[in-house]
Amino acid sequence: MNPTTESAVPVAPLPTVPEAPRRRRVHRAWIVAAVTFVTIIGGAAFNSLPGLLLDPLRDDFGWSRGQIGLAVSLDMALYGLTAPFAAALMDRFGIRRVVAVALTMVAAGALASVWMTAAWQLMLYWGLLVGLGTGSMALAFSATVTNRWFVARRGLVTGILTAAGASGQLVFLPLCAWIVDRHGWRPASVTVALAALVVVPFVWLLMRDHPADVGLAPYGGDYVEKPAPTRGAARRTLRVLFEAARTGPFWLLAGSFAICGASTNGLIRTHFVPSAHDHHMQITTAASLLAVIGIFDIIGTVFSGWLTDRFDARRLLAVYYALRGVSLLFLPLLMQQPTVQPPMVFFIVFYGLDWVATVPPTLALCREQYGEDSAIVFGWVLASHQVGAALVAFLGGVARDYFGTYDVVWYAAGALCAVAALMVLVIRRGAAEVRLVA
């Protein structure tokens, strides 16, 4: 008998202590997205002003709607034309620096307008300074953040960041309307300047240019090294434009998005309040209706981002443009009442859901067609959006001066939306034939 075996006593295993569950930390990408959201809200504050100040500026200085509309159109055009260069500048100097300077420019332009006395000063402050500043925080900014920090949930994040502009409208439009009504237009302009300045510290302290800056992979993706700063930002931006312009999808995207801008920023945001005032609706009431558009804009854009992750972007865009065009054809009838009636409420809700729902599928098509240069290409597509908005902001005021009514503008915009629906349907699948040079 083996004594060692006989003397062995079974020992009960020690109880295992369950391992404490690891606390899941919020990925830094979501913090960057939140800062981007707040930044766009602060930069978008100025967009609440033009429609509110058409009549006060005309009363104070005797300027025509066409003159004021020209300054607004310059702002919108520069907003769009700056965007692709801003995307390249962010590659060169970093997101934080570009956005901090842009917010300061918006604040300077809004504040300087308090002391203006001539129409050329309106062009300089509203058109040049604010246009360059807001253009540097345009949707190309959102595209850059999304492309760098997210691999998964890109459509959803694009929708959320796009909705930030509407959130700014929701916050500032009723406030600025109340200030204009009670205290005049100058305090409203100061309010917008302060809103832009308040955001600067958040950008500088919390924004990061690339996931590699904090040793992280983008959300839903693998770790990649931060690329070296790209020199020749302007040259690269123009090169991407020339290469993209050799492809058919670029012109279809640019043309349809120009109509998008014409039927939203150029038309409704600029001329809805003065048109409603023509029919004896109070300015504060009309501004509140635009704010309601902002509420449903958030819902519609986020939902559109969710849909873009799941369905064909071309079909989504066609539906959005077609329904928008139909709704505009009914607007002259709805404008006949000086008070808010249920049909007008239905229009406001519907238009809000559709307002910038076009952005997530448009950006998805840019990404599909042009790959890593998609942020810059989207910047040029956005430029066309703002050129379309600028033309209608100016021509809408001229049409009102000439015809004494906005009806012809509503009908023309409805017809253009039908054209946009057809344009997006013929964009073919797959990457563009011409490979863009980074």
Side-chain angles (χ1 to χ4, degrees), residues 39-52:
T39 302
I40 295 172
I41 288 177
F46 180 84
N47 292 332
S48 305
L49 281 183
L52 299 176

Side-chain angles (χ1 to χ4, degrees), residues 79-132:
Y79 176 99
L81 293 172
T82 303
F85 292 96
L89 286 172
M90 288 175 190
D91 289 342
R92 174 68 179 89
F93 298 105
I95 297 173
R96 284 197 304 172
R97 293 178 182 177
V98 173
V99 173
V101 171
L103 286 167
T104 305
M105 292 179 69
V106 173
L111 193 60
S113 67
V114 172
W115 293 283
M116 66 184 176
T117 56
W120 67 266
Q121 294 171 326
L122 181 68
M123 298 283 291
L124 175 63
Y125 303 145
W126 277 25
L128 185 63
L129 281 178
V130 175
L132 292 174

Side-chain angles (χ1 to χ4, degrees), residues 127-182:
L128 185 63
L129 281 178
V130 175
L132 292 174
T134 54
S136 299
M137 296 177 294
L139 293 172
F141 167 41
S142 302
T144 301
V145 170
T146 305
N147 288 349
R148 291 186 184 183
W149 282 90
F150 291 87
V151 174
R153 302 289 187 269
R154 276 180 171 173
L156 177 63
V157 175
T158 300
I160 293 172
L161 295 183
T162 303
S167 300
Q169 176 176 300
L170 172 63
V171 171
F172 288 101
L173 191 55
L175 174 63
C176 289
W178 180 84
I179 293 174
V180 170
D181 188 52
R182 297 294 182 89

Side-chain angles (χ1 to χ4, degrees), residues 82-348:
T82 303
F85 292 96
L89 286 172
M90 288 175 190
D91 289 342
R92 174 68 179 89
F93 298 105
I95 297 173
R96 284 197 304 172
R97 293 178 182 177
V98 173
V99 173
V101 171
L103 286 167
T104 305
M105 292 179 69
V106 173
L111 193 60
S113 67
V114 172
W115 293 283
M116 66 184 176
T117 56
W120 67 266
Q121 294 171 326
L122 181 68
M123 298 283 291
L124 175 63
Y125 303 145
W126 277 25
L128 185 63
L129 281 178
V130 175
L132 292 174
T134 54
S136 299
M137 296 177 294
L139 293 172
F141 167 41
S142 302
T144 301
V145 170
T146 305
N147 288 349
R148 291 186 184 183
W149 282 90
F150 291 87
V151 174
R153 302 289 187 269
R154 276 180 171 173
L156 177 63
V157 175
T158 300
I160 293 172
L161 295 183
T162 303
S167 300
Q169 176 176 300
L170 172 63
V171 171
F172 288 101
L173 191 55
L175 174 63
C176 289
W178 180 84
I179 293 174
V180 170
D181 188 52
R182 297 294 182 89
H183 304 287
W185 66 269
R186 287 181 176 85
S189 191
V190 173
T191 301
V192 166
L194 294 177
L197 286 177
V198 164
V199 183
V200 174
F202 290 94
V203 172
W204 197 254
L205 295 175
L206 299 176
M207 178 66 72
R208 292 296 180 269
D209 295 329
H210 195 277
D213 289 342
V214 288
L216 292 176
Y219 181 80
D222 299 324
Y223 180 84
V224 291
E225 292 291 339
K226 182 179 180 179
T230 305
R231 297 184 179 275
R235 185 169 59 253
R236 180 192 175 200
T237 302
L238 292 173
R239 184 192 308 126
V240 169
L241 170 63
F242 293 146
E243 295 291 342
R246 294 167 57 189
T247 66
F250 174 80
W251 293 106
L252 293 170
L253 287 167
S256 59
F257 218 43
I259 294 172
C260 178
S263 57
T264 52
N265 292 353
L267 184 62
I268 298 295
R269 178 171 288 168
T270 305
H271 295 292
F272 179 84
V273 171
S275 177
H277 190 55
D278 283 347
H279 294 281
H280 310 292
M281 183 180 290
Q282 292 185 349
I283 290 179
T284 51
T285 302
S288 297
L289 289 176
L290 278 185
V292 174
I293 285 181
I295 296 175
F296 288 93
D297 186 2
I298 298 171
I299 299 171
T301 308
V302 174
F303 184 55
S304 177
W306 182 86
L307 290 174
T308 302
D309 286 332
R310 290 161 175 79
F311 299 101
D312 184 356
R314 297 157 190 77
R315 294 183 180 181
L316 289 176
L317 284 174
V319 171
Y320 297 159
Y321 286 128
L323 293 177
R324 181 185 299 179
V326 171
S327 67
L328 285 172
L329 297 179
F330 286 97
L331 189 55
L333 294 175
L334 304 180
M335 282 287 188
Q336 301 303 316
Q337 297 295 327
T339 58
V340 179
Q341 301 296 322
M344 177 61 82
V345 174
F346 179 81
F347 171 84
I348 292 296

